[in-house]
Amino acid sequence: LCDLIGLWPETVSTLALVLTATVLALAVAIPLGVVAGLAPAFDRVVDPCLDLIQTMPPYIYLLPAIALLGYGPATALLATFIVALPPALRLTSLGIRMTPKEFIELGDASGVTGMQMFFKIRLPFAMPSIMAGVNQSLMMAFGMVVIAGIVGSGGLGEAIYGSVRTLDIAKSINAAIAIVILTMILDRLAQSAAQSRAGASQ
């Protein structure tokens, strides 16, 4: 459908931007979320920072990115990375803290090591929350796509921004449809992966 409406290159460019930013955000957020879940003192430091990031308007992050990198896809990638980071970090930390105490006590009584405790007890209980964080990070990244078009991100965001400036309503609607299609597909894939991981852990 995206090819039929003439927006296939823009769709692929947007998909690449979203997936790259989300993967980079997850690579940072999940380890930090594990640390925050295991260390309450670190969690108390990180939590206000995440609140600040999530309550600021997303376009704010374009300003320092423009100052550092100028206009272009790199600026959009940095801003999207920042926006996608908090949900995964927060939900990973929550998942680690949700491990039932009786299972932790059982592990201690069984003499398991710290790594065994993490991989065999804590991680399976945290996996549904972690996968929910992955899904939320994807959605936040897509929410940044249109805004990132202002800085020349390419893809569907720039197509929408350009069509708004030229009052090309048909193209803007087509680009919005393409974004909805991408969002729905990745959302369903993330939900399916989360359900599969939850079933495996049970």
Side-chain angles (χ1 to χ4, degrees), residues 3 35 37-38 65 84 93 105 130 154 165:
D3 189 27
V35 174
L38 297 174
S93 174
E105 293 171 355
I130 292 173
R165 290 179 58 190

Side-chain angles (χ1 to χ4, degrees), residues 30-76:
I30 291 178
L32 287 180
V34 170
V35 174
L38 297 174
F42 181 69
D43 185 61
R44 286 194 294 271
V45 173
V46 169
D47 202 47
C49 298
L50 298 179
D51 289 338
L52 179 64
I53 293 174
Q54 289 187 296
T55 53
M56 295 283 282
Y59 64 83
I60 291 295
Y61 305 117
L62 294 174
L63 301 179
I66 291 171
L68 291 172
L69 302 171
Y71 286 83
T75 300

Side-chain angles (χ1 to χ4, degrees), residues 132-145:
V134 172
N135 182 271
Q136 289 300 309
S137 291
L138 275 172
M139 297 304 103
M140 293 299 293
F142 268 113
M144 194 66 184
V145 165

Side-chain angles (χ1 to χ4, degrees), residues 12 25 71 131:
V12 174
Y71 286 83
M131 294 305 297

Side-chain angles (χ1 to χ4, degrees), residues 150-198:
I150 299 173
V151 298
S153 63
L156 296 170
E158 189 169 350
I160 290 178
Y161 182 64
S163 61
V164 168
R165 290 179 58 190
T166 58
L167 297 180
D168 189 348
I169 298 176
K171 186 175 181 180
S172 66
I173 293 175
N174 286 341
I177 291 173
I179 289 177
V180 170
I181 292 170
L182 269 183
T183 305
M184 289 177 62
I185 290 173
L186 290 182
D187 179 55
R188 296 301 185 273
L189 289 174
Q191 287 184 9
S192 177
Q195 291 171 359
S196 298
R197 299 292 296 184

Side-chain angles (χ1 to χ4, degrees), residues 20-135:
T20 302
T22 303
V23 168
L24 292 174
L26 294 176
V28 175
I30 291 178
L32 287 180
V34 170
V35 174
L38 297 174
F42 181 69
D43 185 61
R44 286 194 294 271
V45 173
V46 169
D47 202 47
C49 298
L50 298 179
D51 289 338
L52 179 64
I53 293 174
Q54 289 187 296
T55 53
M56 295 283 282
Y59 64 83
I60 291 295
Y61 305 117
L62 294 174
L63 301 179
I66 291 171
L68 291 172
L69 302 171
Y71 286 83
T75 300
L77 179 64
L78 178 59
T80 307
F81 165 82
I82 295 172
V83 169
L85 187 68
L89 201 161
R90 196 184 293 274
L91 286 170
T92 299
S93 174
L94 176 64
I96 295 296
R97 293 197 307 270
M98 284 173 56
T99 307
K101 291 183 178 179
E102 56 268 22
F103 283 88
I104 296 176
E105 293 171 355
L106 179 61
D108 290 334
S110 302
V112 300
T113 64
M115 294 297 289
Q116 289 173 331
M117 174 75 76
F118 176 75
F119 284 106
K120 294 184 179 297
I121 297 177
R122 287 187 180 274
L123 190 58
F125 279 106
M127 191 56 67
S129 184
I130 292 173
M131 294 305 297
V134 172
N135 182 271

